[in-house]
Amino acid sequence: MRNLVILGGGYGGLRIIQRLIAEKLPEDLMITLVDRNPYHSLKTEYYALAAGTISDQHIRVPFPEHPRLKPVYGEIVSIDMTNKQVIMKDREPIPYDDLVIGLGCEDKYHNVPGADIYTYSIQTIDKSRRAYQALNNLCEGATVSIVGAGLSGVELASELIESRPDLKVKLFDRGDHILSAFPTRLSKYVESWFKEHNVEIVRRSNITRVEENLLYNHDESIKCDVIVWTAGIQPNKIVRDLEIEKDKQGRAILTPQHFLPTDDSVFVVGDCASLPHAPSAQLAEGQAEQIVQVLWKKWANEPLPESFPPIKLKGILGSLGKKHGFGLVADRAITGRVARLLKSGILWMYKHHKG
């Protein structure tokens, strides 16, 4: 029996599973899902888990069940593409005929000494839980420094100051304006919201090193009670260690059919894939839809699609606490309650509509 192995039950891996089991699978096919956790996690909401405004259960979604879907929970050590098997910690290797790598990303510390040791992260559900413990055990007047003012840093800062207005929250960013990937109008709107809610924005910062409870900005020390790092991402180490062609960010370069140029049995989906857009849940799901089409053609011994239309992204939304938000929808900037309601509605639909 052929084995399709999917590494990671994130947005891309889950969408592939949903689409495949919605149709009649080939009789000789088994799907093996490998993940650390026995559930899918809503990574876009990790900031709220860390801030303590939602429960752990709120961001967990059960994996689908199917007679020929076999879940394997554990830690992946490496991928042996020569022998077509996934090496696991403390268990037998998992052989594959086709492999989908959807292992997501990790924090990128830009070689800043101490950043990987003395800062908290919201890149995984486990790390977000640890950040929650640290942030919500703080005393009144404690200082929280968030390094990186992209979407994750902004959402964490806004949610934290709304739930813990007694804290001093500092947001460090390298640019003249936060949210550099967004139009200036949106950046200024968010900056205005932060000013009203007493979040200090430290512009043109350069974090040179981190020590325990100390953050060095241009080598000037700043005392902090908790430091959270949201200043960049990189592909999962499993992918970084593969001897394959990669782009400057370390992401796997793929064919138009989303498999490796040197191995048509290995697909890469999501944050580890070199794509024209910045990594996002929406992009991973769009890519997953195309990978499913390729798999069906491959299993039927039919010619593969030569190309696909560009993946169209509907937009991006961010929250500012529970009542305000911002975003781009169809290239149109939106702010305020409407943006927040849209984000809440999309989240509700994702959780309750399994495709």
Side-chain angles (χ1 to χ4, degrees):
M1 182 168 283
R2 289 184 295 173
N3 193 18
L4 167 65
V5 176
I6 299 176
L7 303 184
Y11 291 97
L14 180 60
R15 179 59 64 91
I16 290 172
I17 292 170
Q18 289 172 331
R19 289 294 181 255
L20 288 176
I21 66 176
E23 305 291 336
K24 183 177 174 58
L25 292 174
E27 293 297 330
D28 64 342
L29 179 72
M30 174 67 72
I31 302 174
T32 301
L33 168 65
V34 185
D35 200 283
R36 282 199 187 102
N37 302 309
Y39 46 78
H40 167 69
S41 303
L42 303 178
K43 187 175 183 179
T44 57
E45 303 304 300
Y46 284 173
Y47 72 92
L49 175 62
T53 55
I54 61 173
S55 68
D56 193 291
Q57 185 180 11
H58 181 83
I59 60 172
R60 298 199 307 257
V61 177
F63 288 129
E65 294 183 359
H66 189 275
R68 280 188 277 141
L69 173 61
K70 177 186 177 183
V72 174
Y73 304 121
E75 184 177 340
I76 301 165
V77 175
S78 62
I79 300 169
D80 181 355
M81 292 193 298
T82 301
N83 296 302
K84 303 190 76 166
Q85 58 183 6
V86 178
I87 309 303
M88 302 291 295
K89 182 179 180 180
D90 299 327
R91 66 186 308 150
E92 291 297 313
I94 302 172
Y96 66 84
D97 295 283
D98 290 298
L99 179 70
V100 176
I101 303 173
L103 292 172
C105 61
E106 301 172 357
D107 289 297
K108 187 172 184 178
Y109 295 104
H110 308 285
N111 297 316
V112 175
D116 59 334
I117 301 171
Y118 298 111
T119 68
Y120 288 86
S121 168
I122 57 171
Q123 279 301 325
T124 69
I125 191 169
D126 185 46
K127 291 179 178 179
S128 299
R129 290 180 183 127
R130 290 181 222 163
Y132 161 77
Q133 292 288 343
L135 291 168
N136 287 278
N137 284 336
L138 290 173
C139 298
E140 179 186 6
T143 298
V144 176
S145 292
I146 300 171
V147 181
L151 187 59
S152 295
V154 163
E155 289 191 305
L156 176 61
S158 64
E159 198 81 4
L160 184 61
I161 200 65
E162 193 170 83
S163 68
R164 291 287 309 269
D166 58 295
L167 298 176
K168 296 176 183 177
V169 178
K170 298 175 181 283
L171 185 60
F172 292 80
D173 192 65
R174 294 178 67 92
D176 294 323
H177 291 285
I178 63 175
L179 293 169
S180 59
F182 286 78
T184 304
R185 174 193 163 189
L186 289 181
S187 297
K188 290 183 176 179
Y189 171 80
V190 176
E191 289 171 353
S192 175
W193 190 93
F194 279 148
K195 185 176 181 180
E196 291 175 12
H197 290 78
N198 300 313
V199 173
E200 180 184 351
I201 300 173
V202 183
R203 297 178 174 87
R204 295 179 289 279
S205 65
N206 180 30
I207 307 306
T208 53
R209 74 182 189 273
V210 183
E211 296 176 2
E212 187 172 7
N213 300 123
L214 282 176
L215 186 68
Y216 289 83
N217 180 28
H218 296 284
D219 291 326
E220 177 188 353
S221 65
I222 300 167
K223 190 177 184 308
C224 313
D225 295 283
V226 169
I227 305 167
V228 184
W229 191 273
T230 64
I233 58 173
Q234 60 184 340
N236 184 282
K237 188 175 185 301
I238 300 295
V239 172
R240 300 203 311 270
D241 289 345
L242 287 176
E243 295 183 1
I244 59 174
E245 188 178 2
K246 304 173 190 129
D247 64 14
K248 293 180 180 179
Q249 287 74 42
R251 300 174 299 186
I253 291 176
L254 306 173
T255 68
Q257 297 79 21
H258 305 292
F259 51 69
L260 299 179
T262 56
D263 192 336
D264 64 1
S265 67
V266 178
F267 298 78
V268 183
V269 65
D271 299 346
C272 295
S274 181
L275 297 171
H277 302 284
S280 68
Q282 193 179 160
L283 181 62
E285 291 183 332
Q287 190 191 6
E289 298 281 356
Q290 296 181 354
I291 290 174
V292 168
Q293 295 182 49
V294 175
L295 288 171
W296 282 123
K297 293 287 187 182
K298 183 177 182 180
W299 294 334
N301 293 317
E302 297 176 1
L304 303 184
E306 293 185 3
S307 62
F308 287 100
I311 298 171
K312 293 184 178 180
L313 304 181
K314 297 178 181 178
I316 186 167
L317 294 166
S319 66
L320 293 172
K322 295 301 180 190
K323 295 183 179 179
H324 296 272
F326 60 93
L328 287 172
V329 178
D331 294 326
R332 179 183 176 185
I334 58 172
T335 57
R337 291 180 181 268
V338 171
R340 189 64 179 95
L341 286 170
L342 271 175
K343 181 174 180 182
S344 297
I346 290 169
L347 178 63
W348 186 91
M349 289 174 61
Y350 182 88
K351 285 182 66 177
H352 294 93
H353 179 63
K354 301 295 192 299

